[in-house]
Amino acid sequence: MGSSVRDLAAATPASRDKYIDLLRVASLGTVVLGHWLMAAVTVGGDGKVEVGNLLAVRPGLQLLTWVLQIMPVFFFVGGFSHALSYRSLRKKAGGTSVYSAFLRARLQRLLRPTVVFVGVWGAAAVLLELGGGGGGLIDVSLRLVAQPLWFIGIYLAMVAFTPPLLRLHERYGWGAFGGLVAGAGCVDVLRFVVGVSYVEFLNFAFVWLAVHQLGFLRADGKLRMPGVMAGCGVAGAVLLVAYGPYPLSMVGMPGEKISNMAPPSFALLCHGVWLVGAVELLRGPATRWLRRPRVWRAVVVAGGVSMTAFLWHLTAMLGVYGALLALDVPLPEPGSGGWWAQVPVRVVVAAALTGVLVGAFRGFERPGAGGESRVPSGGAGAVAALGVTLCLFGVLGLSTVGFGGILEGRSAMLVAVRVTAPVAVAMTLVGWLLVERAGRGRRVVAGERERAHSA
């Protein structure tokens, strides 16, 4: 493996933006570490196991989310990568529709490991329920392990909307970003000033797509004043939290009436702008650091397994707590000195267990054959759009309802629709198959490809 990684790193084109790869790996790694640190597992007097949030127990630590809530950076990186990928396919395909090929190319390394994760946990949930197992930490795990899938759903939407939003960007530039920002602001005005609550879910689109749009601007070299961006973003977030209805934490807190995350708020958008400006300020020194061969090889290795690690990191964390409970190791009060003393051990063991899971499932993250040598068949774009829509609602539904009670018909509300785990699993699987089928198209030989491109 070492030689192949070394060869892959050495073969990196000089034109590749290595800093983008570093940001992708670092943002997912920060999320994983944050989840490991924030999990506060307790056992009540009745023996009931609960998983809380350290930030709710120690509210003074919520300011850390202004640095550790780094998902906006991943979505910014996604915008950059999606713009380059779509333009490359569009150029190669000429007048041929590239939408289905673009979806398949961008979603292979996302959907394949996700479908495997859903399949493994879905099967485990069915077997546990049929066997009468469960209880304690197992029931909690069946609910919690699916929660990070919300990120997959949002990312699917970003990929699906890339072509029309990229056209808007190419026509209006900063104006397209400004329109999304204005939309997010209007939603919060209607929500908090006028009292129209049902529009709040629109900010799942406006806020995250605005951050994604910053990636388009970065791809065209139009983010020229990152210091101003960072300053305006952090100033806006501070003012909104200090004088508005927004909470301090940039992640959701148990029991809170207003969240900056679900649905995303205008304060979270300001937070995203500040983070994008901040990482752009670090571009110069980080790029020089990445010139070191060992550093770049480490990024290449991490980038090849980052999505698999993200999907399975909560499974590993809950496995660590399960082992502690099985061995009757006392769990100190979250935030206490004893609790912090256990943190290094829990994190190291969780990282090791994540490594084992990555070793087992990393093969599904490897991209398959690309779509550059294929021409999409008629209607492929519509099939791909249907597929990505089904996947989007499927994984969002699973993140809401979890895998618990999968045969009992347990349900949860996704926006205004009630979903169950079996339906969500089925939508995810069918959607993935449609995206795969539509993106394959038909293989063409060189002469036919030239005719298709010139048509």
Side-chain angles (χ1 to χ4, degrees):
M1 178 179 172
S3 59
S4 63
V5 170
R6 188 174 292 109
D7 294 341
L8 185 61
T12 303
S15 59
R16 186 177 183 90
D17 194 331
K18 295 180 180 179
Y19 185 52
I20 289 293
D21 294 278
L22 175 63
L23 289 180
R24 180 184 294 110
V25 169
S27 56
L28 284 180
T30 302
V31 171
V32 168
L33 181 60
H35 285 168
W36 286 345
L37 292 176
M38 289 190 299
V41 177
T42 57
V43 181
D46 57 355
K48 184 178 181 181
V49 178
E50 294 185 357
V51 179
N53 191 315
L54 175 66
L55 301 180
V57 179
R58 296 288 186 268
L61 297 176
Q62 292 181 12
L63 188 60
L64 293 176
T65 63
W66 288 48
V67 177
L68 296 179
Q69 169 47 299
I70 205 168
M71 268 305 180
V73 174
F74 190 89
F75 293 147
F76 162 69
V77 167
F80 176 91
S81 301
H82 297 159
L84 296 186
S85 177
Y86 187 75
R87 284 169 171 170
S88 176
L89 282 171
R90 187 172 60 186
K91 182 178 180 180
K92 292 176 181 178
T96 305
S97 171
V98 298
Y99 185 66
S100 58
F102 168 74
L103 285 184
R104 182 171 183 260
R106 297 308 301 172
L107 296 182
Q108 275 186 333
R109 291 184 59 186
L110 181 71
L111 283 183
R112 288 180 179 180
T114 300
V115 166
V116 171
F117 173 82
V118 169
V120 170
W121 266 105
V126 170
L127 292 175
L128 283 169
E129 195 164 339
L130 289 175
L137 189 61
I138 292 178
D139 287 345
V140 176
S141 300
L142 289 172
R143 184 181 77 251
L144 287 183
V145 293
Q147 287 187 358
L149 291 177
W150 74 265
F151 151 78
I152 305 292
I154 298 297
Y155 199 77
L156 286 170
M158 290 178 173
V159 176
F161 282 105
T162 287
L165 288 178
L166 187 58
R167 286 193 292 271
L168 286 175
H169 160 75
E170 290 168 346
R171 182 171 182 178
Y172 298 108
W174 278 96
F177 169 76
L180 292 168
V181 171
C186 288
V187 167
D188 272 16
V189 168
L190 290 172
R191 180 184 176 189
F192 296 118
V193 178
V194 183
V196 182
S197 60
Y198 56 82
V199 300
E200 60 189 19
F201 295 103
L202 292 175
N203 266 356
F204 277 107
F206 287 133
V207 169
W208 291 128
L209 290 177
V211 175
H212 188 250
Q213 206 80 4
L214 288 174
F216 295 168
L217 291 161
R218 175 65 189 84
D220 288 348
K222 293 183 178 180
L223 295 184
R224 298 191 182 95
M225 295 188 292
V228 174
M229 282 184 60
C232 290
V234 75
V238 167
L239 291 172
L240 289 172
V241 170
Y243 299 104
Y246 305 96
L248 174 65
S249 175
M250 291 298 164
V251 300
M253 290 289 105
E256 64 184 356
K257 294 182 179 179
I258 296 175
S259 169
N260 282 322
M261 274 292 294
S265 69
F266 198 82
L268 184 66
L269 177 54
C270 290
H271 171 70
V273 171
W274 123 253
L275 282 179
V276 170
V279 298
E280 283 297 297
L281 285 172
L282 297 173
R283 176 175 292 275
T287 300
R288 290 190 291 272
W289 184 56
L290 286 165
R291 291 172 186 161
R292 301 179 182 181
R294 289 185 179 179
V295 174
W296 176 236
R297 284 199 295 269
V299 172
V300 170
V301 171
V305 299
S306 57
M307 188 53 59
T308 303
F310 174 79
L311 285 166
W312 291 97
H313 77 279
L314 282 186
T315 303
M317 181 201 75
L318 292 165
V320 171
Y321 274 108
L324 292 175
L325 292 173
L327 295 172
D328 291 326
V329 176
L331 297 180
E333 179 185 354
S336 66
W339 188 89
W340 284 109
Q342 278 190 355
V343 165
V345 176
R346 290 199 304 267
V347 169
V348 169
V349 177
L353 185 51
T354 301
V356 172
L357 292 168
V358 166
F361 297 108
R362 65 180 299 241
F364 298 100
E365 192 169 346
R366 294 172 185 155
E372 291 82 358
S373 62
R374 299 171 180 269
V375 174
S377 57
V383 173
L386 175 61
V388 76
T389 301
L390 288 173
C391 281
L392 188 158
F393 284 104
V395 296
L396 286 180
L398 276 176
S399 73
T400 303
V401 72
F403 293 101
I406 195 168
L407 298 179
E408 298 175 356
R410 185 181 299 173
S411 64
M413 291 297 296
L414 175 63
V415 186
V417 179
R418 187 161 291 278
V419 294
T420 63
V423 170
V425 169
M427 292 174 70
T428 302
L429 295 177
V430 172
W432 168 66
L433 290 173
L434 290 176
V435 170
E436 285 282 310
R437 180 181 179 85
R440 286 196 182 101
R442 59 183 180 86
R443 189 178 297 276
V444 293
V445 297
E448 185 180 355
R449 189 184 310 124
E450 291 175 2
R451 290 193 297 271
H453 289 177
S454 61

